């Protein structure tokens, strides 16, 4: 009997046995992660607003702390920060709507002339395209627009607008309570952990807040520079809707690596239609130059110490996030990965970040 037990023990203690045990453990963890992801994707109308609220709370919390450090009541500081952000966002949206409405007639008039220029360029350009090919492409687009599938997608889009509005309201309410009662909520959640793990969990939460806040603020600065440079270029060249297009590039900048490039294609298209191929090529060159400046200078300088994730990992995470949740997944994939990596490094004792500083009077989680 002893020999039999010894033989069984030897099977699990040699190299292959240890590898088998680790494989089972890895599969179990992977199954747990997949179950969490699957559950989260079943209730996106709840999960996504909460995640966005958490990211925004990490970015706005320094303003709340600054106000509370000047003897403002915390509730009043949260309300003031909240109203200020809503005023800024509302002002930007209102300005864009007014500009689009005022310049739409000019863009339509230029578009008619631009289409003629584009038609001539396609007929006589380096790769000539015949009128029959152009007509076939237009007919395909028209057929799609009048098809039942497009109508079904339009109805889906109308339903999506309602869901986005409901999600925005839930996100705003959640953000308010995160800013007002964030330390208490954190203490409540950490209280479910074993006592010997709570100190490390607090440290991981504090460091994650630093990473999220730095990521959002750094990304906003980089995106603002992208939108400002392209918007000024469009304005100098006389392209209609220069400011709205600059804002669109700013919003696209929140999706790393590919967002500003995709948003820049709209600016190139508007320049092509309204000002012609030469102006569109100039805008293309500016968009490429801005992206190179972002990748090789702005990103390393502004977020190199905050987001220590390799570019290949960001691309893979973006691809996975897009497959799971579309544009929203691409928007949230990188900050979620940054937090997960920060927590992992903190738990393993390899996080190089300094101990987070909590201002006087600020309750710790």
């Amino acid at each position: 009997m002893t020999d039999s037990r010894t033989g069984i023990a030897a099977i699990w203690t040699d190299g292959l046995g240890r590898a088998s045990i680790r494989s089972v453990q890895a599969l179990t963890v992977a199954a747990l992660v997949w179950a969490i992801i699957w559950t989260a994707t079943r209730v996106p109308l709840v999960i996504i607003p909460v995640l966005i609220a958490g990211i925004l709370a990490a970015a706005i919390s320094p303003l709340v702390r600054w106000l509370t450090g000047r003897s403002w009541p915390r509730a009043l500081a949260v309300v003031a920060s909240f109203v200020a952000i809503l005023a800024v966002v509302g002002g930007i949206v209102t300005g864009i709507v007014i500009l689009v409405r005022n310049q739409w007639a000019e863009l339509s008039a230029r578009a008619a002339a631009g289409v003629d220029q584009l038609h001539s360029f396609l007929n006589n350009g380096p790769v000539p395209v015949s009128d029959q090919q152009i007509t076939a492409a237009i007919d395909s687009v028209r057929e799609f627009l009048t098809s039942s599938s497009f109508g079904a997608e339009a109805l889906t889009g109308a339903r999506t607008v309602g869901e986005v509005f409901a999600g925005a309201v839930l996100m705003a309410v959640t953000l308010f309570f995160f800013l007002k009662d964030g330390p208490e909520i954190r203490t409540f959640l950490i209280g479910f952990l074993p006592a010997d793990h709570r100190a490390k969990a607090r440290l991981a939460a504090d460091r994650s807040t630093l990473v999220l806040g730095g990521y959002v603020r750094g990304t906003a600065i980089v995106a603002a520079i992208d939108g400002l440079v392209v918007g000024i270029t469009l304005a100098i060249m006389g392209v209609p809707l220069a400011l709205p297009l600059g804002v669109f590039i700013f919003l696209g900048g929140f999706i790393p690596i590919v967002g500003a490039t995709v948003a820049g294609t709209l600016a190139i298209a508007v320049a092509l239609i309204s000002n012609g191929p030469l102006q569109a090529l100039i805008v293309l060159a500016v968009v490429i130059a801005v992206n190179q400046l972002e990748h090789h200078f702005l990103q390393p300088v502004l977020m190199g110490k905050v987001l220590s994730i390799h570019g290949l990992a960001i691309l893979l995470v973006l691809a996975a996030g897009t497959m799971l949740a579309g544009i929203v997944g691409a928007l949230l994939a990188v900050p979620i990965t940054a937090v997960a990596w920060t927590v992992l490094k903190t738990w393993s004792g390899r996080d190089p970040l300094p101990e987070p500083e909590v201002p006087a009077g600020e309750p710790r989680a």
Side-chain angles (χ1 to χ4, degrees), residues 36-344:
I36 293 174
I37 294 175
W38 184 88
T39 303
T41 54
R42 301 284 77 78
V43 284
L45 193 58
V46 176
I47 297 298
I48 291 175
V50 171
L51 290 176
I52 295 177
I55 294 172
L56 293 178
I60 302 170
S61 56
L63 176 59
V64 176
R65 288 199 298 267
W66 184 81
L67 293 175
T68 54
R70 281 152 182 77
S71 303
W72 283 49
R74 185 172 183 85
L76 181 60
V78 171
V79 171
S81 304
F82 203 75
V83 171
I85 292 170
L86 289 180
V88 171
V89 174
I92 292 174
V93 172
T94 303
I96 291 175
V97 171
I98 293 174
L99 285 172
V100 170
R101 186 179 61 185
N102 292 340
Q103 296 185 9
W104 188 256
E106 177 186 358
L107 180 61
S108 300
R110 288 196 183 187
V115 168
D116 293 336
Q117 294 181 11
L118 180 60
H119 181 268
S120 176
F121 177 78
L122 291 175
N123 285 155
N124 305 311
V127 183
V129 180
S130 65
D131 289 339
Q132 291 80 5
Q133 292 173 313
I134 297 175
T135 302
I138 294 174
D139 290 341
S140 299
V141 173
R142 185 183 296 113
E143 182 181 354
F144 170 74
L145 293 177
T146 57
S147 65
S148 59
S149 61
F150 180 78
E153 290 179 5
L155 292 176
T156 303
R159 184 182 64 184
T160 302
V161 170
E163 294 179 351
V164 169
F165 177 76
V169 173
L170 177 60
M171 185 272 294
V173 174
T174 306
L175 174 60
F176 176 81
F177 284 107
F178 277 176
L179 291 173
K180 179 178 178 294
D181 303 321
E184 290 78 6
I185 295 174
R186 186 184 303 177
T187 300
F188 173 77
L189 295 176
I190 291 177
F192 287 98
L193 297 175
D196 55 342
H197 291 164
R198 291 174 188 172
K200 189 171 288 188
R202 292 190 190 98
L203 181 59
D206 290 337
R207 288 175 168 174
S208 297
T209 301
L210 288 178
V211 169
L212 274 181
Y215 170 79
V216 174
R217 291 187 292 271
T219 301
I221 294 173
V222 173
I225 294 174
D226 291 348
L228 187 63
V229 172
V230 177
I232 291 176
T233 302
L234 295 174
I236 292 175
M237 295 171 57
V239 177
L241 306 178
L243 181 57
L245 290 171
V247 173
F248 185 67
I249 291 174
F250 165 75
L251 296 176
F254 283 87
I255 301 178
I257 298 178
V258 298
T261 302
V262 173
T265 57
L266 179 60
I268 298 169
V270 173
L272 176 64
I273 294 175
S274 63
N275 291 47
L278 179 59
Q279 305 290 340
L281 288 175
I282 295 175
V283 176
L284 173 62
V286 172
V287 170
I288 293 175
V290 166
N291 281 313
Q292 293 301 312
L293 176 66
E294 172 188 342
H295 296 157
H296 297 291
F297 179 74
L298 296 177
Q299 290 278 4
V301 170
L302 294 176
M303 292 191 296
K305 295 181 180 180
V306 175
L307 192 64
S308 55
I309 302 177
H310 194 274
L312 177 59
I314 293 177
L315 281 175
L316 295 176
V317 166
L318 284 174
T322 304
M323 291 177 62
L324 290 173
I327 295 177
V328 177
L331 182 66
L332 298 178
V334 174
I336 290 175
T337 303
V339 169
W341 181 234
T342 300
V343 171
L344 179 62

